[in-house]
Amino acid sequence: AGFLIPALELAEADSILAYCHRHEDVWCALGVHPHSASTWQEGDGERLAALLADPKAVAVGECGLDFHYDFATPAQQFRCVRDQWMVARDRGLPVVVHNRDSNDAMLGLVALPEHDGLTGDFHSFAGGAAMAETLLDRGFYLGLSGMITFPKADNVREVIAGAPPERLLVETDTPYLAPVPYRGKPNRPAFVVEVCHRLAQERDEPPETTAARTTENFFQLFAKARGDAA
């Protein structure tokens, strides 16, 4: 399998790429998180595009919208994510999308004609069945985190039954959202096993089947990683 490390700011790109090059099974997404959208400035699109030429950079992100906090204004966030999505389109790469308390605005962004054909991972998805259907129709994948193990997360689990199995991914969101039985502790990549087991339980299939399929889904979405691993 392997690991994907998402960047939060462009300033991290060089150190993340250096780490990835030390490990055969590690790749990264490069971009600017909505919390850091105020750092996005003229020329950063070109800088990002140049960084994405590295074989270890297989996606753009983590990028998106977050209206839960106010680390950056909505206007700054919209500019930052739209610029990054256009870089992704131009480079033929997927995006890793952060979306918190911004479902309506995010669906509005996804629907813009300029984003036709864009694909990516809506990571740690918690948007509910209707949003999932819209995103799946447009070719996106859903990243399932430790939330699917939380007792009160029926709104996340309800998405699983209706989603095509070839569009589901498992993730940790380390160091956050540790799954049961580790809830309340710092999350670790190894805990993704618990997410996989719960997904298998919800789909009534062996964990080995779920693990193999979500690994294949990873390489389908992040196709540049398959080429690097070949």
Side-chain angles (χ1 to χ4, degrees):
F3 300 89
L4 180 78
I5 301 173
L8 300 180
E9 298 182 359
L10 290 185
E12 300 177 330
D14 289 339
S15 60
I16 291 175
L17 286 170
Y19 182 85
C20 291
H21 279 285
R22 293 197 296 270
H23 301 277
E24 184 178 353
D25 59 350
V26 179
W27 299 273
C28 64
L30 298 179
V32 177
H33 190 283
H35 289 346
S36 299
S38 63
T39 70
W40 187 261
Q41 56 190 339
E42 197 71 32
D44 278 353
E46 290 79 4
R47 182 182 173 201
L48 175 59
L51 289 164
L52 292 168
D54 191 290
K56 284 291 190 175
V58 302
V60 173
E62 178 177 337
C63 53
L65 300 173
D66 190 316
F67 298 159
H68 184 78
Y69 296 105
D70 59 357
F71 296 120
T73 67
Q76 289 171 327
Q77 293 186 45
F78 278 117
R79 179 193 177 200
C80 185
V81 68
R82 291 183 71 173
D83 284 356
Q84 290 181 87
W85 283 13
M86 293 312 295
V87 171
R89 281 286 309 274
D90 291 345
R91 300 289 305 187
L93 292 175
V95 292
V96 176
V97 181
H98 176 101
N99 173 56
R100 187 173 187 188
D101 291 353
S102 51
N103 288 352
D104 290 344
M106 183 59 71
L107 287 172
L109 273 180
V110 168
L112 293 175
E114 66 201 67
H115 299 142
D116 287 349
L118 185 72
T119 187
D121 164 30
F122 265 73
H123 103 89
S124 198
F125 183 76
M131 185 173 187
E133 182 178 2
T134 298
L135 296 175
L136 291 165
D137 285 346
R138 294 188 68 90
F140 286 94
Y141 290 61
L142 306 180
L144 302 174
S145 68
M147 278 194 290
I148 69 170
T149 71
F150 295 176
K152 296 182 179 180
D154 289 335
N155 65 310
V156 181
R157 284 186 290 271
E158 71 176 357
V159 170
I160 295 171
E166 66 273 13
R167 295 286 193 80
L168 298 178
L169 302 167
V170 292
E171 61 170 300
T172 62
D173 198 34
T174 299
Y176 309 109
L177 298 178
V180 175
Y182 305 104
R183 193 171 183 188
K185 300 178 180 180
N187 206 351
R188 298 174 55 191
F191 297 167
V192 76
V193 171
E194 303 298 335
V195 181
C196 181
H197 282 185
R198 184 56 186 263
L199 176 57
Q201 178 184 331
E202 293 294 324
R203 297 196 63 87
D204 194 23
E205 63 186 14
E208 296 79 8
T209 299
T210 305
R213 183 189 297 115
T214 52
T215 297
E216 175 60 23
N217 294 349
F218 174 93
F219 285 110
Q220 285 289 339
L221 177 58
F222 303 110
K224 190 176 171 185
R226 191 193 299 274
D228 179 64

